[in-house]
Amino acid sequence: MKPSSISIVFFCALLLLQVNSQQTDSCSSSPTLDVPFGTTSLHCLNVWNTHDFILRYAETSSNVWSFVLSAPDTNSFIAMGFSSNGMMVGSSAMVGWISADGTATVKQYFLGGQSPNLVLPDQGKLTIVTNSSSITLQSSRLYMAFQLNTSQPLSRVIYSVGQIRVIPSSPDYTLAEHRDKVSTILNYVSGTSASKSPHSRLRKSHGILNMLSWGILMIIGAIVARHLKQWDPIWFYSHAAIQSCAFILGISGIICGFALEHRLEAHVPTHKGLGIFILVLGCLQVMAVFARPDKESKRRKFWNWYHYSVGRILIVFAMANVFYGIHLREKGRGWNAGYGVVIAILLLVSFILELRKWRKN
């Protein structure tokens, strides 16, 4: 390699190292920050490694808590919310950004719901010390600072980062949906922070029970009743056993849902309404079993039509509500893909059996 080439490579490596160091902050460093209050006595924590969020905080005077949130500048907003239950809905958040023209803005938002029109600027439950909030850009990082008047801030702290190049603007300062978020528990005394999903075991029980029962077993039971009648009466007892298990597990899942709603004070009327509707259809199916006419009865065909129709409606709404529940939980593509693959397999099996039945007839 020629000396000139070696020099160019060495220069590029130094430049890359310099850029990387400029974008990095750590608790071992003590940057000089241009904020409205002193920062020398603040505790430091890495609170969100995924997006390199670093929090500095302390009770700097009686009932005055100082916070400085540091994050890489990705041309998006950064936010720090305080919640009573670990959920975004119902929490109050400090949100900061720097616009393309260099205007720095920090606002308090009240997160009244999941849609942008329910996220209200200049509202919330936080008592902010006058002229204490600011956001600055330093070494390719954002530093959002603010002070709260409180004896003890809420320990459930939520961090979020906005979509790239989507910045709130006047006059309404509508806050677009975040790109990512994390819910944590901050111990102000010990100086530790951990990601925590409140009532995670109850959440998983609710989701898995309802997905398995209404969203999978009900479909399998319907396939058995539709395509395995040549094995009489085995098909009937198999159908009854599968649907009974699905109904019992489904009721358990819905009970978990009601308990979860009470503990989290969640406001999910669509998901809840669909769940109650599915439960009502399931109860109608169970009651219909006790009113089933004999095979020789003229009313049997009407009963069959009713039973098939209600069952199909139940399955369609159950699948929709499972996908909607995954969306609410923000589990993302993994859970959607997993459940989608299961549904695709069941639909493929049903299609093949339906094709065979059509050919025989």
Side-chain angles (χ1 to χ4, degrees):
M1 183 179 289
K2 296 180 179 180
S4 59
S5 301
I6 296 176
S7 301
I8 292 173
V9 171
F10 182 70
F11 175 75
C12 291
L14 285 177
L15 182 63
L16 181 63
L17 182 63
Q18 182 180 6
V19 170
N20 184 62
S21 63
Q22 286 179 344
Q23 294 179 341
T24 303
D25 185 15
S26 68
C27 288
S28 60
S29 63
S30 300
T32 302
L33 303 178
D34 183 17
V35 299
F37 49 84
T39 61
T40 55
S41 61
L42 302 185
H43 305 296
C44 185
L45 288 174
N46 294 289
V47 291
W48 194 10
N49 291 328
T50 304
H51 292 280
D52 195 18
F53 273 40
I54 294 176
L55 178 67
R56 293 175 172 88
Y57 75 94
E59 186 179 15
T60 49
S61 61
S62 179
N63 293 337
V64 175
W65 288 78
S66 302
F67 296 90
V68 178
L69 180 63
S70 162
D73 178 27
T74 58
N75 197 14
S76 58
F77 70 77
I78 60 173
M80 178 179 178
F82 297 85
S83 172
S84 60
N85 54 19
M87 302 291 289
M88 292 195 72
V89 176
S91 65
S92 299
M94 297 298 294
V95 184
W97 65 88
I98 295 181
S99 304
D101 61 0
T103 303
T105 307
V106 177
K107 283 184 174 293
Q108 180 180 184
Y109 282 80
F110 177 70
L111 285 68
Q114 294 184 331
S115 58
N117 64 305
L118 296 177
V119 180
L120 308 176
D122 299 317
Q123 296 189 38
K125 302 175 183 178
L126 303 176
T127 305
I128 306 169
V129 176
T130 305
N131 298 325
S132 70
S133 59
S134 70
I135 185 167
T136 58
L137 179 60
Q138 183 174 321
S139 301
S140 299
R141 290 186 68 89
L142 294 173
Y143 291 86
M144 182 175 70
F146 59 93
Q147 290 180 308
L148 300 180
N149 268 323
T150 178
S151 58
Q152 177 71 58
L154 293 173
S155 60
R156 302 276 191 179
V157 181
I158 302 170
Y159 305 95
S160 68
V161 59
Q163 301 175 40
I164 297 174
R165 292 186 295 276
V166 180
I167 299 293
S169 59
S170 60
D172 53 4
Y173 292 100
T174 300
L175 195 66
E177 185 178 1
H178 53 265
R179 173 163 41 110
D180 198 6
K181 75 173 181 70
V182 67
S183 179
T184 67
I185 294 181
L186 175 59
N187 189 321
Y188 294 95
V189 177
S190 64
T192 57
S193 176
S195 299
K196 182 69 175 178
S197 177
H199 308 294
S200 58
R201 185 173 298 179
L202 188 59
R203 288 169 181 261
K204 290 179 181 178
S205 299
H206 170 67
I208 292 174
L209 284 172
N210 285 300
M211 180 185 294
L212 179 62
S213 57
W214 307 112
I216 296 177
L217 288 179
M218 280 287 177
I219 301 175
I220 296 174
I223 292 174
V224 169
R226 173 72 176 170
H227 298 288
L228 302 182
K229 287 186 177 179
Q230 62 269 32
W231 291 295
D232 193 30
I234 296 177
W235 77 266
F236 174 77
Y237 292 115
S238 299
H239 171 71
I242 293 171
Q243 303 301 65
S244 297
C245 289
F247 184 71
I248 293 171
L249 292 176
I251 290 179
S252 302
I254 289 176
I255 291 174
C256 290
F258 281 119
L260 195 61
E261 180 193 32
H262 174 72
R263 295 184 185 183
L264 295 179
E265 298 179 357
H267 182 66
V268 286
T270 303
H271 187 57
K272 179 181 178 181
L274 286 173
I276 293 174
F277 179 64
I278 292 165
L279 177 61
V280 170
L281 293 180
C283 292
L284 289 174
Q285 290 290 74
V286 171
M287 291 187 292
V289 172
F290 297 101
R292 187 175 62 139
D294 295 332
K295 290 182 179 181
E296 295 78 16
S297 174
K298 294 181 179 180
R299 294 176 298 172
R300 182 59 178 263
K301 65 177 181 179
F302 299 105
W303 184 92
N304 287 340
W305 176 83
Y306 162 83
H307 191 58
Y308 297 159
S309 300
V310 173
R312 288 183 175 91
I313 294 172
L314 186 155
I315 288 171
V316 170
F317 277 94
M319 289 190 297
N321 209 25
V322 168
F323 280 117
Y324 186 53
I326 294 172
H327 166 73
L328 290 176
R329 187 66 178 90
E330 298 182 346
K331 281 299 182 181
R333 296 179 180 178
W335 282 76
N336 274 326
Y339 182 62
V341 167
V342 173
I343 295 301
I345 292 173
L346 292 175
L347 290 176
L348 179 62
V349 170
S350 180
F351 175 77
I352 294 172
L353 293 174
E354 196 70 34
L355 187 62
R356 289 181 58 188
K357 185 176 183 178
W358 178 77
R359 286 181 175 178
K360 286 183 180 180
N361 294 335

